[in-house]
Amino acid sequence: MGLVAEFEIDCDALPLVEVAAAVPEAMIEVAIQFNHGNRPPFIAHITHEDPDAIERAFESGAFAAEYTLVGRAGETHRYQILPAVGLEAQLGEQIDDLDGLRALATTDAIIERIRVTPSGWIQTGWFANTDEFDMFRRFWQQNAGFSLRRLTHDGEPEEPGDGLTDPQREALRTAYEMGYFEIPRTASLDDVADELGITASSLSERLRRAQTHLIETTVASTWPPLPV
């Protein structure tokens, strides 16, 4: 029976991690167009209230040779990014086993979602069996950092909200109890942040990531895939 896994890769050399670190409150999801040669373009869906901050991060970082805004919906902007170097060249100084990295592309697995964080990537994928998943797990344990967030058998129901971090759960609960989600709101982002003793930008990031996870694990699986 196949597996569905969500796992976090702690590796600051991965593409666009520098952008997530520069704008940590942004939500960044990417897809890689591997059929476009040695430097495959990236499609990035980035949600942030200030797109100029994102584009400044593109320009100050080393990853993006070119970027094009191809669409927007509210605060979500969709970019096509042409990398300055290939994935192997980018990771070469941090990962010794480049043959192992190439081998991951030949496994019986489909990486369905890549979310970029200030410290690495969170990947969600389908794996034909335990051996295929173990190839990913062993590679990243040996070459970077690996932490498993969720592992279920294909077809098994998943409890909604499973996988939230404690800070995310606390942020959601406090925001809800203070009336941040009421219409009209009875508490502002600053009010909730003060209650938690964190900055408003940190709270915004926690709420966005928590809400994204809840959507992914409750309703997103029923949506048709976006065209690429």
Side-chain angles (χ1 to χ4, degrees):
M1 179 178 289
L3 300 173
V4 180
E6 181 183 70
F7 51 91
E8 189 163 359
I9 302 167
D10 186 8
C11 178
D12 59 12
L14 286 166
L16 298 176
V17 169
E18 60 187 3
V19 175
V23 193
E25 65 273 18
M27 287 197 308
I28 305 174
E29 292 194 359
V30 298
I32 310 172
Q33 299 181 305
F34 281 113
N35 57 340
H36 285 67
N38 293 328
R39 288 191 292 168
F42 280 57
I43 300 297
H45 294 262
I46 303 180
T47 302
H48 188 260
E49 61 187 11
D50 181 9
D52 290 341
I54 298 297
E55 294 180 5
R56 287 194 298 269
F58 286 157
E59 292 164 5
S60 64
F63 175 70
E66 300 177 32
Y67 65 89
T68 304
L69 176 63
V70 295
R72 67 182 70 187
E75 293 185 351
T76 299
H77 294 67
R78 181 171 178 166
Y79 293 92
Q80 178 170 273
I81 304 167
L82 301 179
V85 297
L87 187 60
E88 292 178 4
Q90 176 154 355
L91 297 176
E93 292 187 2
Q94 183 154 339
I95 294 178
D96 295 329
D97 185 11
L98 292 179
D99 287 339
L101 181 64
R102 298 184 193 102
L104 295 185
T106 66
T107 59
D108 292 327
I110 299 172
I111 299 301
E112 185 176 53
R113 181 174 289 105
I114 301 172
R115 191 157 75 245
V116 185
T117 75
S119 61
W121 283 1
I122 297 173
Q123 292 190 332
T124 304
W126 299 69
F127 301 85
N129 51 55
T130 302
D131 289 342
E132 301 299 311
F133 171 69
D134 280 345
M135 287 187 64
F136 277 79
R137 178 183 56 79
R138 285 194 299 267
F139 175 83
W140 290 114
Q141 284 177 334
Q142 293 167 3
N143 291 277
F146 175 94
S147 58
L148 183 63
R149 295 164 62 96
R150 172 167 59 95
L151 183 65
T152 60
H153 286 290
D154 181 13
E156 283 187 357
E158 180 186 356
E159 183 179 349
D162 182 52
L164 289 178
T165 66
D166 289 339
Q168 289 170 350
R169 189 174 293 106
E170 180 186 27
L172 279 175
R173 184 179 63 251
T174 303
Y176 175 79
E177 291 174 349
M178 292 183 66
Y180 178 75
F181 296 113
E182 292 183 8
I183 302 174
R185 284 177 174 165
T186 58
S188 68
L189 191 69
D190 288 332
D191 293 335
V192 181
D194 288 344
E195 178 69 19
L196 291 169
I198 61 177
T199 65
S201 62
S202 294
L203 172 61
S204 176
E205 178 189 356
R206 289 184 192 179
L207 291 176
R208 287 171 184 265
R209 294 191 185 282
Q211 289 168 318
T212 296
H213 182 78
L214 291 175
I215 291 169
E216 290 172 353
T217 57
T218 55
V219 297
S221 62
T222 67
W223 296 347
L226 291 172
V228 296

